Amino acid sequence: MEDTLVKSEIIKPENRVYKKTDLMTEKVLSYCPGCGHGTAHRIIMEVIEEMGLTEDTIGIAPVGCSVLAYEFMNVDMQQAAHGRAPALATAVKRLMPHKTVFTYQGDGDLAAIGTAETIHAANRGERITIIFINNGIYGMTGGQMAPTTLPGMKSSTSPYGRDLDMMGHPLKITELVAQLPGTHYVTRQAVHTPSNVRKTKKAIRKAFELQHQNVGMTFIEIVSNCNSGWKMTPVQANKWMVDNMFPFYPLGDIKVDGKMVEG
Amino acid sequence: MEKELRLMKGNEAFAEAAIRAGTDGYFGYPITPQSEVMEYLMAEKPHERTGMVVLQAESEVASINMLYGGAGCGKKVMTSSSSPGISLMQEGISYMAGAELPCVILNVVRGGPGLGTIQPSQSDYSQSTKGGGHGDYRLITLAPSSVQEMYDSVKLGYELAFKYRNPVLVLSDGAIGQMMEKVEIDAQVERLSEEQIREQHPWATLGRHNGRERNIITSLDLDPARQERHNEALQRKYKEVEEKEVRYEKINCDDADYIFVAYGTSARICQKSMQLAREKGIKVGLFRPITLFPFPKKELHEMAGQVKGILSVEMSAGQMIEDILLAVEGKVKVEHYGRMGGIIPAPGEVVDALEQKIVKG
Ligand SMILES: Cc1ncc(C[n+]2csc(CCOP(=O)(O)OP(=O)(O)O)c2C)c(N)n1
Ligand code: SF4
Ligand SMILES: [Mg+2]
């Protein structure tokens, strides 16, 4: 019995393996258990804290499940109309070029209603970072078809599966913005495993660094899950994402240093 | 100091005033009859004169949302457009009203509905004064009737917009935007530094300096009780605006038996109609609202007790007349006369209408 540790002996600075960043508020996340939004929020905030950008960062929240991102992200935030975050960010950054400005947007927000704002902000080379959470569905409104919904994938407005003839093809908007000379760094990542989290964090850090080198837009897609909208358990949803989303939306850098990645 | 006088178009005067007032950002999209605003700004290189940002957006939807972003940072931001473009901005304007963001929006009105015409009109009165987008909100609405007033509406617009944290709409029309008149130009106002904005607008999202609590700009509150309180606070603000910010002009009203009520271009026409009518022995005066919201209700109510009839003259099917009717509470006869489709009424027509609808009627 002598070698049993009591709580006070465990909770010591030298034993600490993880600390919640102060840039996540104490508010309980409104996301479904297992949803990728929470992880994505946390790592963005960790990067801002690690880079010492807290005092000069302005984030723009979208309309979608992450509409309340400003309740969780402990930096100055604005909440945009559906799809318009890149327009807000454009003005914030142009009026204060020394700030770090990012938008956080879902696929409906960024690739349907906000397509024009996305493409034109990218094409103007706005010095902002867009973080794009692609879960292939409208999570917030209850699982309707998104511009990124996969061929044949079921949703509440494509109950028999996405019929490409009738409903059009999924929009690979990340490949599209990569084609524009205004984007400098475009990458597609995920946050479902520790190693993917590390890679995504690295990508966010790189994007925020590039913001201050005056080189153009940085764009990070995070392929994510929506277990509620997909009607799966969190574990099933992650497996389904790996098996179905990743082949269609392959992970990795698409454009680096203003040049398309070969292959 | 010598006053600086210049001969300018209404739209150009507005643009020059924007630079002089220390505007931080102009965001717009071309549309007739107001494209001179952005053209003038681009030619003037305000980024060199004052550091002002001028950006041609991809649409009016984008420009109004750029205003939201800039205003959220406590910056002086503005846009200009004409009717179809202003319609496209309504969602964004509603968001700005909800999030209580200051800005100045110029509408150089053209005839509608739809693509309508590029000729002047006053058919956006209701859209401007009753809200325009979704939700219970009001815009402070200024109605310039000369090039000088176009110029002055920028400074006054910012003053009111920041005082009440509310969008201000300048409701002009194609005639005033395009006509040339003498304008008195005032001295350059310095743009505010980030430090000054932090002091004057502590709500602005400029980053959490010195570890202050985060600032949030939003129109969202999912809790009905809090959302109702927010709405009540907005309504109190609009009431205060109605009590304190009414502006109007009265011409020849003291001895008048009848009055014209008109703003903007119609008010200019009515000045001439007034002369013509008086030559005929009809004693008519002109009551010109300068603020359309707040509408000069009390003042008109008082006038209503002193005259035999009111003719509302507006280049529309009759939108402002509803506010006049509410103000006079049936005390006196009120009729509307107007032309539509981009036609400006001739002064003589207005006198005929006065005689037929009010004097004889
Ligand atoms: C103008 C407008 N149209 C529609 C809506 C309704 N709406 C809210 S969220 C949403 C879809 C969001 O989906 P997405 O961007 O993919 O975000 P997710 O919830 O999946 O993270 C829609 C259509 C709205 N709020 N505003
Ligand atoms: S509905 Fe989907 S996207 Fe929204 S919180 Fe739940 S799992 Fe996440
Ligand atoms: Mg989605």
Side-chain angles (χ1 to χ4, degrees):
Chain A
M1 284 309 269
E2 290 91 273
D3 48 10
T4 306
L5 288 171
V6 296
K7 205 172 165 192
S8 63
E9 288 170 309
I10 300 170
I11 305 176
K12 282 184 187 158
E14 60 268 32
N15 291 336
R16 185 156 81 196
V17 289
Y18 174 76
K19 178 182 178 291
K20 179 181 83 65
T21 163
D22 289 339
L23 292 192
M24 285 298 284
T25 63
E26 294 301 319
K27 181 125 184 158
V28 176
L29 290 175
S30 50
Y31 303 112
C32 309
C35 174
H37 272 306
T39 312
H41 282 24
R42 173 171 60 79
I43 61 177
I44 298 166
M45 291 301 111
E46 283 176 358
V47 172
I48 291 170
E49 187 172 51
E50 287 158 17
M51 290 177 71
L53 299 172
T54 310
E55 300 204 345
D56 283 301
T57 297
I58 292 111
I60 315 287
V63 175
C65 273
S66 48
V67 67
L68 289 174
Y70 61 79
E71 297 258 343
F72 313 122
M73 297 182 174
N74 202 357
V75 294
D76 274 10
M77 296 284 294
Q78 298 191 9
Q79 198 285 310
H82 197 18
R84 316 302 172 208
L88 273 66
T90 293
V92 173
K93 186 72 174 188
R94 291 227 177 199
L95 292 166
M96 301 185 296
H98 56 290
K99 303 285 178 189
T100 302
V101 181
F102 72 91
T103 72
Y104 184 99
Q105 304 175 255
D107 39 40
D109 194 83
L110 180 138
I113 197 165
T115 310
E117 284 75 13
T118 305
I119 299 279
H120 284 279
N123 197 45
R124 287 191 303 265
E126 299 297 344
R127 274 58 163 161
I128 58 172
T129 299
I130 289 185
I131 295 168
F132 165 37
I133 308 293
N134 178 9
N135 55 13
I137 205 149
Y138 286 5
M140 168 131 205
T141 38
Q144 294 85 3
M145 186 179 72
T148 47
T149 296
L150 296 178
M153 181 174 164
K154 286 186 179 159
S155 74
S156 67
T157 52
S158 57
Y160 307 108
R162 182 176 190 147
D163 174 344
L164 298 184
D165 216 29
M166 182 163 70
M167 299 158 180
H169 291 257
L171 181 57
K172 291 187 178 176
I173 197 155
T174 307
E175 275 80 356
L176 216 129
V177 298
Q179 295 296 325
L180 305 172
T183 52
H184 186 82
Y185 173 52
V186 180
T187 188
R188 183 183 282 126
Q189 301 293 337
V191 292
H192 64 306
T193 69
S195 84
N196 286 96
V197 166
R198 273 195 295 278
K199 281 188 202 157
T200 307
K201 256 186 94 165
K202 237 172 101 184
I204 296 169
R205 173 181 281 271
K206 180 177 169 119
F208 286 173
E209 279 165 6
L210 286 168
Q211 262 200 45
H212 300 281
Q213 294 171 24
N214 217 23
V215 284
M217 180 185 278
T218 47
F219 189 103
I220 300 170
E221 172 177 339
I222 300 176
V223 181
S224 192
N225 57 13
C226 175
N227 44 75
S228 295
W230 296 354
K231 313 237 176 307
M232 295 175 195
T233 65
V235 174
Q236 283 170 340
N238 276 352
K239 183 168 183 336
W240 193 89
M241 175 174 73
V242 173
D243 294 345
N244 297 276
M245 294 283 278
F246 291 178
F248 198 88
Y249 300 112
L251 304 189
D253 289 343
I254 298 171
K255 191 179 196 180
V256 177
D257 295 333
K259 289 188 204 71
M260 298 299 286
V261 174
E262 298 297 320
Chain B
M1 207 184 81
E2 267 300 283
K3 278 177 185 155
E4 190 187 340
L5 283 179
R6 283 197 213 164
L7 186 65
M8 297 182 103
K9 273 190 178 187
N11 289 335
E12 294 169 350
F14 191 86
E16 179 62 31
I19 304 173
R20 298 273 172 153
T23 298
D24 296 299
Y26 169 95
F27 305 90
Y29 187 82
I31 183 170
T32 308
Q34 64 75 50
S35 296
E36 294 86 358
V37 176
M38 198 182 350
E39 287 167 355
Y40 182 95
L41 287 173
M42 288 294 190
E44 278 297 308
K45 299 188 180 168
H47 47 281
E48 287 177 12
R49 278 176 62 180
T50 65
M52 171 181 172
V53 169
V54 183
L55 183 64
Q56 178 168 337
E58 62 270 31
S59 69
E60 291 86 352
V61 173
S63 20
I64 192 68
N65 283 285
M66 289 172 183
L67 260 62
Y68 183 110
C73 300
K75 300 282 179 178
K76 280 186 178 170
V77 287
M78 64 151 59
T79 186
S80 61
S81 186
S82 178
S83 309
I86 298 286
S87 290
L88 213 43
M89 290 185 195
Q90 293 303 327
E91 184 203 31
I93 295 174
S94 164
Y95 271 67
M96 292 189 80
E100 297 194 85
L101 293 177
C103 68
V104 174
I105 302 163
L106 169 65
N107 183 0
V108 183
V109 181
R110 54 190 255 181
L115 203 49
T117 166
I118 58 171
Q119 300 303 325
S121 176
Q122 294 181 313
S123 44
D124 296 353
Y125 178 94
S126 298
Q127 183 198 55
S128 318
T129 58
K130 310 298 175 197
H134 59 286
D136 277 320
Y137 73 90
R138 297 300 187 115
L139 303 178
I140 298 170
T141 307
L142 306 176
S145 81
S146 65
V147 175
Q148 184 69 54
E149 280 190 351
M150 277 286 268
Y151 183 94
D152 296 338
S153 64
V154 174
K155 211 178 194 172
L156 176 61
Y158 280 132
E159 238 172 75
L160 295 171
F162 278 93
K163 183 170 174 191
Y164 295 100
R165 281 189 64 181
N166 205 68
V168 168
L169 187 100
V170 179
L171 191 69
S172 183
D173 64 61
I176 293 166
Q178 296 296 327
M179 81 167 96
M180 290 186 92
E181 282 182 330
K182 258 194 311 208
V183 193
E184 199 181 310
I185 307 283
D186 50 12
Q188 179 66 48
V189 174
E190 291 293 314
R191 291 176 50 231
L192 295 186
S193 67
E194 197 176 311
E195 265 331 293
Q196 287 171 313
I197 296 177
R198 278 183 199 284
E199 275 167 34
Q200 295 180 24
H201 315 307
W203 46 265
T205 53
L206 298 162
R208 292 180 50 195
H209 265 217
N210 302 323
R212 71 146 162 73
E213 296 274 294
R214 73 192 190 290
N215 280 343
I216 297 167
I217 301 293
T218 184
S219 60
L220 177 74
D221 198 328
L222 293 169
D223 178 72
R226 277 202 309 261
Q227 185 60 257
E228 184 175 53
R229 279 201 294 281
H230 171 59
N231 266 273
E232 285 164 355
L234 290 179
Q235 293 304 319
R236 279 196 297 279
K237 174 168 84 175
Y238 305 144
K239 191 130 198 76
E240 187 184 340
V241 168
E242 287 193 278
E243 277 157 17
K244 294 186 182 159
E245 305 299 346
V246 168
R247 286 166 173 78
Y248 60 92
E249 184 187 22
K250 282 201 263 187
I251 305 171
N252 295 338
C253 285
D254 289 346
D255 68 340
D257 292 325
Y258 308 98
I259 49 170
F260 294 128
V261 180
Y263 65 93
T265 293
S266 291
R268 298 175 71 102
I269 301 298
C270 285
Q271 291 231 36
K272 185 73 192 162
S273 309
M274 197 165 61
Q275 278 175 19
L276 296 177
R278 282 186 176 252
E279 280 162 19
K280 284 180 142 182
I282 307 169
K283 279 199 263 174
V284 58
L286 170 63
F287 185 96
R288 178 171 78 90
I290 296 172
T291 51
L292 299 178
F293 180 85
F295 193 72
K297 280 186 212 162
K298 257 204 327 252
E299 296 72 13
L300 261 179
H301 185 83
E302 280 160 23
M303 295 273 327
Q306 300 157 24
V307 296
K308 297 182 205 158
I310 294 177
L311 188 68
S312 173
V313 182
E314 191 184 38
M315 283 139 58
S316 76
Q319 300 187 16
M320 178 178 62
I321 189 174
E322 292 180 5
D323 281 336
I324 302 173
L325 286 167
L326 283 172
V328 308
E329 293 180 311
K331 271 180 156 180
V332 72
K333 181 167 186 185
V334 184
E335 291 285 346
H336 161 77
Y337 181 72
R339 299 294 300 267
M340 293 178 282
I343 294 178
I344 300 176
E349 279 176 53
V350 176
V351 178
D352 292 347
L354 176 71
E355 289 188 278
Q356 275 154 33
K357 293 186 170 204
I358 300 286
V359 182
K360 291 191 191 124

